Amino acid sequence: MSPLAPMPGRGLEPGPLEKAPDPEPQELAALEGVWGALAPQERRGRRDLLLPALRALQASRGWISYSALAAVCRELTMPLAEAYGVASFYELLATEPRPRRMIHLCDDVACTLKGAGMLAGRLQALLGHPEQGEGPLGWSLSPCLGQCERGPAALVGDRVWVGLTPEGLEDAVGAWMAGEEARAHAGGVGTHLGSLGEGTPLLLRRCGRVDPGSLEAYVEHGGYRGLRRALQLGPEATLAEVEASGLVGRGGAAFPTARKWASAAREPAPRYVVCNADESEPGSFKDRVLMEQDPFAVLEGLTLAALAVGAERGFIYVRGEYPESHRSLLRAAEQARAAGFLGERILESGFSFDVELRQGAGAYVCGEETALFNSIEGLRGEPRARPPYPAQVGLFGRPTVINNVETLAAVPAILERGGGWYASLGSGRSRGTKLLSVSGHVVRAGVYEVAFGTPLRTILEDLAGGVPGGGAVQAVLCGGAAGTFLGPDQLDTPLSLEALQAVGGTVGSGSLVVLDETVDLWAVVERIARFFRDESCGQCVPCRVGTQRQLEVVSAVRRAGGPVDDQALAMLNDLAQVMRDASICGLGQLAPNAVQSSLRLLGRSGGDERG
């Protein structure tokens, strides 16, 4: 994240709001689209409209001018410095002139394995250095775009280019430069889907089989049966079904869903429910597939959460890099509202609930639930100190339930078939089924649903087809950048919360990135260390300094060609301890995981040399 800094130059000199020049016509038009039917007096104090306004300005001109930012502040009655602090926080927003459209080329682990480095060289030859130039099209490198199964990928405006090749990229850039934007696309690569084990497919049962844009098709294939039953049962019995299911959060923390809901339900109204669709963990893309291929299930799950806790209003916060997911959910919400599944007196019951969609603007830390609240409220997306917890003091200071996409998508089936049935799948704390995002060196990268207890090797070989060309696995990054590396000798570990914890791993976000023996593992470790340095919000010292120092040590070892000497090992271990103990949120606490697990894999946790 960019630190809070003085207003930059190039026409952006700060000044009193009343002295700011008038915005350009396209900027005014963009803001009118955000204000909609709100009268001027109704906009005052509506700081939660700040991020939508900034996104609209960014789309209209390619950057946010001082005059436009001042106009926003006048409408929302907020200080210019605070608005600038928010605008400069997000990667997808620019406060200095740059090309109207940018190609954000993913150079994270999975896309790099597929040749993103070569594409970056081609873009530099075509468009010059990253972040430079004043033509209609520029480019920059980007952290993971969540398109790992069909990379290399790039985000261009509100479109995603996938399956990029050097030739395809050159054609797309040429079409854009010729003014043929509609022809400027690349890819068309699909996503492999599959399932294995008892109870599957459950979450994927409609994906790829049922038209995701049709409410009628959703209902024909079992949609909204859960909500109809829940309306008959009532809030308390609905909560009891979720408790009986043993469902735990699928975002990484594995917190019991029913306990979170019950805690919020005990607090005074008004209450909110929020769907965390900011799937930003590198290597994760299963939530994107659910939102794009079964969006009504996400809406139904959020509606059930609202019924159980007594909320009348909800939000879905979709990461800015997922424009198609946002469009898919928006279309679904409009249909659900028109058919009486959202709005006043849903299905003629006494329960009323509606949902509002918000989009992020490029900030990994906003996947942390309190940072996400701040982002919706128009603040910098920085995590809050706890306690109090969201169930007591959450969005807009009110009791709030927040769950991720996969968690909510599991709830309709629980209400339809019963919590006991769901709990019969899996064992221990690992109940139900689990979605996995599998990418890297496998034949069929994709999203797979398995019963808990399925060995990792079975998932990688039977579903994903193993390493292409009969190659061997060197390591698997399990759980994303915040997860851990597992070695080939650990691939017979069953997929479960307990079994992975026993070998030092984690289910985390449910991503598996496979690295074969040709990969420079330490280069991957360095990319992950750079990711955490770049994505730290900088709010707390252990994370801000720790991630920087961790990257410096990892980079120094790589430049020297290894091995990890005792001094570097001691420094990495000390940094890991400090970040885990003293960071205020999961970003800093989990930032050393991949580095530390790679040391074990390379035989250096006990003082040996790096392989």
Side-chain angles (χ1 to χ4, degrees):
M1 295 302 97
S2 304
L4 187 60
M7 292 287 280
R10 303 189 67 184
L12 294 178
E13 293 300 328
L17 289 179
E18 61 272 16
K19 293 182 179 179
D22 292 334
E24 296 291 327
Q26 69 266 39
E27 294 172 324
L28 288 172
L31 291 178
E32 286 303 320
V34 176
W35 309 146
L38 288 175
Q41 63 270 20
E42 294 176 305
R43 304 168 199 162
R44 293 172 186 162
R46 287 289 308 274
R47 186 167 181 154
D48 64 294
L49 295 176
L50 176 60
L51 186 54
L54 296 176
R55 285 188 51 89
L57 291 172
Q58 178 71 36
S60 73
R61 200 175 171 188
W63 64 290
I64 301 165
S65 71
Y66 164 59
S67 56
L69 192 61
V72 171
C73 292
R74 285 194 295 270
E75 295 289 343
L76 303 182
T77 59
M78 65 178 297
L80 182 61
E82 292 187 21
Y84 179 75
V86 174
S88 59
F89 184 79
Y90 296 96
E91 289 294 330
L92 297 181
L93 303 180
T95 54
E96 295 184 73
R98 73 178 188 187
R100 182 171 176 274
R101 280 284 179 265
M102 294 288 290
I103 300 173
H104 299 280
L105 177 68
C106 179
D107 74 333
D108 223 301
V109 176
C111 279
T112 295
L113 294 178
K114 296 294 182 68
M118 184 185 301
L119 297 176
R122 189 65 65 96
L123 281 175
Q124 181 157 326
L126 292 169
L127 301 173
H129 290 285
E131 308 279 4
Q132 295 182 358
E134 297 184 355
L137 193 60
W139 75 287
S140 68
L141 294 173
S142 170
C144 184
L145 295 174
Q147 307 287 339
C148 316
E149 85 281 23
R150 48 185 187 176
L155 176 69
V156 188
D158 64 350
R159 301 293 170 184
V160 177
W161 295 353
V162 297
L164 288 170
T165 63
E167 296 74 21
L169 178 64
E170 195 163 326
D171 288 345
V173 170
W176 191 284
M177 300 297 281
E180 301 173 5
E181 297 182 15
R183 192 170 65 83
H185 65 86
V189 181
T191 300
H192 288 285
L193 303 174
S195 60
L196 187 67
E198 184 183 4
T200 67
L202 183 63
L203 293 164
L204 293 181
R205 64 190 184 280
R206 284 180 290 266
C207 295
R209 301 182 176 94
V210 177
D211 179 4
S214 168
L215 173 59
E216 183 179 344
Y218 179 69
V219 172
E220 285 178 358
H221 290 81
Y224 282 114
R225 288 179 186 166
L227 179 60
R228 292 182 189 279
R229 179 167 181 257
L231 289 171
Q232 296 174 346
L233 293 173
E236 291 184 3
T238 297
L239 183 55
E241 288 285 8
V242 177
E243 183 174 15
S245 75
L247 177 67
V248 299
R250 304 304 200 218
F255 191 82
T257 302
R259 192 186 304 172
K260 182 183 286 190
W261 290 14
S263 183
R266 288 193 293 268
E267 299 296 323
R271 311 176 190 94
Y272 294 110
V273 290
V274 176
C275 173
N276 185 346
D278 192 56
E279 184 184 42
S280 302
E281 190 66 50
S284 298
F285 48 89
K286 42 89 177 172
D287 285 353
R288 189 204 82 228
V289 169
L290 283 177
M291 288 186 282
E292 295 177 5
Q293 299 200 25
D294 201 8
F296 292 103
V298 181
L299 289 176
E300 186 181 357
L302 187 63
T303 306
L304 287 164
L307 173 67
V309 306
E312 295 185 349
R313 191 178 177 194
F315 290 83
I316 302 178
Y317 184 96
V318 185
R319 74 177 298 209
E321 292 87 344
Y322 282 2
E324 184 52 41
S325 298
H326 180 258
R327 285 190 286 269
S328 175
L329 287 168
L330 202 59
R331 289 191 295 266
E334 289 172 352
Q335 291 186 52
R337 195 173 293 115
F341 291 106
L342 287 175
E344 296 292 328
R345 297 181 54 79
I346 290 174
L347 299 179
E348 300 181 351
S349 70
F351 170 56
S352 298
F353 172 72
D354 213 332
V355 65
E356 186 173 335
L357 268 68
R358 295 296 180 96
Q359 283 183 282
Y364 170 77
V365 72
C366 285
E368 198 279 339
E369 53 194 21
T370 61
L372 186 153
F373 297 155
N374 279 348
S375 184
I376 291 177
E377 293 180 19
L379 302 167
R380 287 165 65 87
E382 295 171 340
R384 304 172 183 173
R386 306 188 208 194
Y389 294 96
Q392 285 77 45
V393 182
L395 185 64
F396 302 119
R398 302 305 309 169
T400 303
V401 159
I402 179 168
N403 291 117
N404 89 328
V405 170
E406 184 184 349
T407 309
L408 291 169
V411 176
I414 291 171
L415 265 297
E416 178 188 353
R417 305 187 191 186
W421 168 81
Y422 189 85
S424 70
L425 308 173
S427 62
R429 293 176 56 231
S430 307
R431 300 290 178 174
T433 63
K434 183 75 190 81
L435 291 184
L436 297 167
S437 310
V438 182
S439 64
H441 287 137
V442 291
V443 174
R444 294 183 295 274
V447 175
Y448 300 107
E449 182 175 12
V450 299
F452 275 114
T454 306
L456 296 176
R457 191 184 303 280
T458 301
I459 297 166
L460 299 181
E461 295 183 356
D462 292 1
L463 289 173
V467 177
V473 173
Q474 176 185 186
V476 177
L477 180 57
C478 183
T484 53
F485 285 105
L486 299 178
D489 59 330
Q490 296 172 303
L491 296 185
D492 291 317
T493 304
L495 177 83
S496 73
L497 301 171
E498 300 88 343
L500 282 169
Q501 186 176 19
V503 298
T506 174
V507 175
S509 63
S511 69
L512 299 172
V513 183
V514 179
L515 311 178
D516 72 10
E517 290 183 316
T518 66
V519 175
D520 179 350
L521 182 58
W522 203 246
V524 175
V525 172
E526 185 182 33
R527 179 65 186 88
I528 293 171
R530 181 177 300 109
F531 171 80
F532 280 110
R533 189 278 309 272
D534 293 346
E535 296 296 334
S536 172
C537 75
Q539 185 178 198
C540 70
V541 173
C543 178
R544 182 177 69 239
V545 178
T547 53
Q548 172 65 34
R549 292 290 293 130
Q550 178 175 257
L551 174 61
E552 291 172 0
V553 176
V554 170
S555 296
V557 170
R558 186 168 182 233
R559 283 195 304 272
V564 183
D565 60 27
D566 290 345
Q567 184 179 4
L569 182 63
M571 177 67 78
L572 289 172
N573 288 339
D574 286 349
L575 288 168
Q577 192 68 47
V578 170
M579 285 191 281
R580 284 170 176 159
D581 289 349
S583 298
I584 68 170
C585 84
L587 189 151
Q589 293 161 7
L590 302 178
N593 278 3
V595 177
Q596 289 290 302
S597 61
S598 74
L599 291 172
R600 288 196 298 271
L601 210 59
L602 296 166
R604 278 302 290 142
S605 58
D608 298 325
E609 291 186 352
R610 180 168 74 89

